[in-house]
Amino acid sequence: MAISKSVNNNKKHHHHHQCYISVPSEIINSLSSNSLQSLLISPKKVSKTGAFSWSRLLKNPKTWFLFLFLSGFLLMLKMWYNFDPFLPNPCEIITITPQKDSSSIIPNAGVSNPPIEVEEMNGFWKQPDGLGYMPCLDFSQEYKKSSVEILKDRSKYLVVVVSGGMNQQRNQIVDAVVIARILGAALVVPILQVNVIWGDESEFSDIFDVEHFKEALSDDVRIISSLPSNHLMSRPVEEKHTPLHVSPQWIRARYLKRMRREGVLLLRGLDSRLSKDLPSDLQKLRCKVAFHALRFAPPIRELGNKLTERMRSKGPYLALHLRMEKDVWVRTGCLPGLSLEYDEIIYKERKNRPELLTSRSNMTYRDRKLAGLCPLNALEVTRLLKALGVPKTGQIFWAGGNPLGGLDALSPLVKEFPHFYNKEDLGLAKELEPFANKASIMAAIDYIVSENSDVFMASHGGNMGHAIQGHRAYLGHKKTITPNKRQMLKYFLKPSLDEKEFNEIILDLHRDSMGQPELRTSKVGRDVTKFPIPECMRNDSSSYSY
């Protein structure tokens, strides 16, 4: 049942505001027709000769009925929806239960979770205590007031070109929306640069639901499909070298004057350009873009949800994001631990292309490993999962690109956990064929099945792992394991430890790394789309003064 629905058609009717409140049918049926009329019909004017009488009003049974009705209704809202109309800026309650309706505000939702047996909910599958935190995007009155002028503006347009893999592009799109808001400009639907590594030529509309993107942000930023005709021939102001972690003040000082003069601003390479420490309203906007507006296109959602249902048909499952591709080992300065032959392949590639190395070049491989900078290989992931209590019969969905060494590189995992699948195992050839050679769409399918899982773990950080961690937190702090590589790897190198002692140590190291609520503000520079508390989530004890 909807609590309330406000309709504000500013675009079409500037002076008409309507508000509807839906009431349970049981309450409506319990009222007599006279009582309903007394609630709906405006009272007659008091005659000039008549005097207002408090005693007469208080003695009227209709007055008490109305008082009891309203009190009960407000109490019901408080109990069922944690809604308190007397608090400043009451939270916009957001339903987080996945629904099959494509208009659901939760991106990629559509999978109903079957009831899990009580014994399955214990042990490894037990979910962390979310402490009652729920999504809460209560924008300030100042933000809402400034939206009116921003949405009316027809003089400034922002064009952005985003690059990288799907999840990297996703992060840049979030920042593009926020930058458009900062500048008070309309945003042209972002242009996706052709991925030079995978050769993926997918456009925005191939991956994301464009109309939903526009509608979800219609109160924040004007999104348009293309520049208006009077700007098509103009040469936009182009900025290629925006510094890292810039503030809203820097953006306004740098671009606003030029944008007003030229009308169009073109930005490229937005990765990590915008500061992670923004004013509260802009943090909320980041959450709104990441968790509401960026919904995958219908064909991707449909297939992702089908694969989720196939995994769920046999009970709960763990999703693993494995980072074992050749380019990952090259870029991190790490070794796959397969054989001397594969180590030599990585050494040669790194020597021929030193620009690919993104990790600290002055560190040895062993130093990187012990510092937690390397992805876990299949044997390490297997030992970690066993120590954390994953049952041998547990289902595992693995996401990611083809590992160096092929499927043989995954043999320790397959041997220990035989119910081990990826999208190619779950999907039919005719279902996957339309997306062949489209790495971004394949990554989106992995994202959906991973986000919908009962438990999620990434073998290494990266954009996808961080995005899913934040998304699962926003959906109610679903269990998400963050491997404590820096602390645990030294125990992997101690052959003297027996398995029982090893498992106890590893489990103890991860008791607080299971997806429990964590404040973004506890460390500087944290991304709100990875740690949505406190700006984007609240519980009963939360302060309303962020």
Side-chain angles (χ1 to χ4, degrees):
M1 181 196 72
I3 303 172
S4 64
K5 178 180 179 182
S6 296
V7 179
N8 186 352
N9 299 321
N10 283 331
K11 297 178 183 177
K12 297 180 180 179
H13 306 289
H14 294 285
H15 304 291
H16 299 284
H17 300 276
Q18 294 179 307
C19 183
Y20 303 90
I21 297 178
S22 63
V23 180
S25 58
E26 295 84 357
I27 296 178
I28 294 295
N29 294 334
S30 68
L31 301 178
S32 67
S33 59
N34 290 336
S35 299
L36 283 172
Q37 286 183 347
S38 68
L39 291 173
L40 298 174
I41 300 176
S42 301
K44 296 179 180 180
K45 293 183 179 180
V46 179
S47 64
K48 293 181 180 180
T49 57
F52 180 83
S53 172
W54 278 104
S55 60
R56 184 182 302 172
L57 182 66
L58 293 174
K59 290 179 180 179
N60 191 329
K62 294 179 180 178
T63 301
W64 287 104
F65 174 82
L66 181 59
F67 173 78
L68 292 173
F69 170 77
L70 292 175
S71 299
F73 185 65
L74 292 174
L75 181 61
M76 178 186 71
L77 295 181
K78 175 65 178 176
M79 293 176 63
W80 290 1
Y81 300 95
N82 192 28
F83 175 81
D84 191 342
F86 303 108
L87 287 174
N89 291 326
C91 204
E92 299 174 15
I93 301 300
I94 298 173
T95 303
I96 62 171
T97 304
Q99 300 177 32
K100 299 215 173 198
D101 181 3
S102 62
S103 64
S104 169
I105 61 172
I106 298 302
N108 322 318
V111 179
S112 56
N113 299 348
I116 300 175
E117 299 296 333
V118 173
E119 57 268 23
E120 289 181 340
M121 294 180 66
N122 296 320
F124 176 76
W125 306 109
K126 185 177 181 181
Q127 297 296 309
D129 183 357
L131 302 179
Y133 277 100
M134 299 282 284
C136 178
L137 302 182
D138 54 334
F139 293 94
S140 70
Q141 291 302 315
E142 181 182 358
Y143 179 93
K144 295 176 182 177
K145 185 177 179 180
S146 62
S147 296
V148 177
E149 295 302 318
I150 289 173
L151 296 174
K152 285 181 181 178
D153 188 276
R154 297 294 185 273
S155 64
K156 301 189 296 296
Y157 298 90
L158 177 64
V159 179
V160 296
V161 179
V162 299
S163 58
M166 187 277 292
N167 290 287
Q168 191 175 2
Q169 291 174 340
R170 190 174 177 273
N171 292 341
Q172 294 172 54
I173 293 167
V174 172
D175 282 355
V177 173
V178 177
I179 291 172
R181 172 75 192 199
I182 291 169
L183 295 170
L187 175 67
V188 180
V189 171
I191 300 166
L192 274 54
Q193 184 173 306
V194 176
N195 194 302
V196 294
I197 296 178
W198 298 290
D200 191 341
E201 298 182 0
S202 298
E203 297 181 358
F204 188 99
S205 58
D206 296 323
I207 302 173
F208 302 106
D209 188 331
V210 178
E211 294 308 312
H212 178 82
F213 181 67
K214 293 178 180 179
E215 178 61 28
L217 297 171
S218 60
D219 292 332
D220 309 275
V221 174
R222 194 165 69 94
I223 311 290
I224 57 176
S225 297
S226 61
L227 286 170
S229 57
N230 60 323
H231 285 287
L232 288 176
M233 301 303 294
S234 62
R235 186 172 182 176
V237 177
E238 184 172 358
E239 180 66 62
K240 297 181 181 179
H241 305 293
T242 305
L244 295 173
H245 311 304
V246 297
S247 67
Q249 292 79 7
W250 188 95
I251 290 172
R252 293 190 188 98
R254 175 79 174 184
Y255 301 134
L256 200 51
K257 186 176 180 180
R258 297 159 64 190
M259 199 177 200
R260 285 171 176 160
R261 183 177 67 246
E262 304 295 337
V264 181
L265 172 66
L266 171 62
L267 294 179
R268 300 176 184 269
L270 289 180
D271 198 25
S272 298
R273 303 302 169 182
L274 185 62
S275 171
K276 299 295 186 288
D277 296 306
L278 298 171
S280 181
D281 282 323
L282 295 181
Q283 298 285 37
K284 291 177 174 64
L285 181 57
R286 286 178 63 82
C287 290
K288 190 173 184 179
V289 181
F291 304 136
H292 297 272
L294 281 176
R295 187 169 71 180
F296 292 124
I300 298 175
R301 294 206 313 276
E302 181 181 357
L303 180 54
N305 291 335
K306 278 183 181 178
L307 302 190
T308 298
E309 293 284 11
R310 289 167 192 170
M311 284 299 299
R312 277 209 185 284
S313 63
K314 296 181 180 179
Y317 70 94
L318 160 71
L320 282 178
H321 184 220
L322 300 177
R323 303 305 312 276
M324 300 181 186
E325 303 95 320
K326 178 181 176 181
D327 70 293
V328 174
W329 297 117
V330 173
R331 287 187 292 105
T332 56
C334 300
L335 297 175
L338 296 172
S339 66
L340 291 177
E341 176 189 354
Y342 285 110
D343 288 352
E344 189 63 27
I345 291 174
I346 298 302
Y347 277 129
K348 286 183 178 180
E349 186 74 14
R350 197 175 296 139
K351 184 177 180 180
N352 294 333
R353 304 185 65 185
E355 73 277 5
L356 294 178
L357 182 61
T358 56
S359 191
R360 300 170 191 171
S361 58
N362 61 340
M363 297 177 70
T364 66
Y365 161 58
R366 181 180 174 84
D367 289 340
R368 287 191 184 97
K369 187 82 173 174
L370 292 177
L373 299 176
C374 292
L376 299 175
N377 61 35
L379 180 59
E380 291 162 344
V381 172
T382 302
R383 294 189 69 189
L384 174 58
L385 295 182
K386 287 179 64 179
L388 295 178
V390 179
K392 191 175 182 66
T393 56
Q395 292 192 104
I396 297 179
F397 173 82
W398 72 273
N402 293 325
L404 177 67
L407 294 180
D408 289 343
L410 303 177
S411 58
L413 277 162
V414 177
K415 182 178 179 180
E416 186 65 33
F417 305 104
H419 303 290
F420 192 77
Y421 314 99
N422 68 353
K423 53 186 174 291
E424 282 78 14
D425 299 319
L426 298 171
L428 303 176
K430 64 179 180 180
E431 293 174 326
L432 296 171
E433 194 276 332
F435 308 126
N437 302 319
K438 294 185 177 181
S440 292
I441 293 179
M442 287 298 194
I445 294 169
D446 276 344
Y447 187 107
I448 293 173
V449 185
S450 297
E451 189 278 307
N452 283 324
S453 66
D454 297 274
V455 183
F456 172 76
M457 189 184 88
S459 66
H460 193 51
N463 293 307
M464 179 168 168
H466 292 166
I468 292 180
Q469 176 182 333
H471 202 152
R472 290 172 66 85
Y474 193 74
L475 293 177
H477 290 92
K478 297 159 69 176
K479 187 171 182 177
T480 303
I481 301 168
T482 304
N484 191 343
K485 291 187 287 185
R486 184 173 296 181
Q487 296 294 324
M488 74 181 189
L489 284 173
K490 59 186 177 184
Y491 298 104
F492 280 67
L493 303 176
K494 287 187 177 181
S496 59
L497 284 176
D498 61 41
E499 185 174 7
K500 182 180 178 182
E501 186 179 3
F502 173 83
N503 291 351
E504 288 175 351
I505 291 172
I506 298 302
L507 183 59
D508 189 59
L509 284 175
H510 290 84
R511 292 195 189 279
D512 296 325
S513 303
M514 300 291 182
Q516 297 94 331
E518 191 171 351
L519 287 176
R520 184 193 71 84
T521 48
S522 62
K523 289 185 181 179
V524 176
R526 280 182 163 181
D527 191 338
V528 74
T529 61
K530 184 181 178 183
F531 299 97
I533 300 173
E535 289 90 353
C536 301
M537 300 185 78
R538 299 259 175 86
N539 64 6
D540 286 335
S541 60
S542 297
S543 168
Y544 278 75
S545 59
Y546 295 119

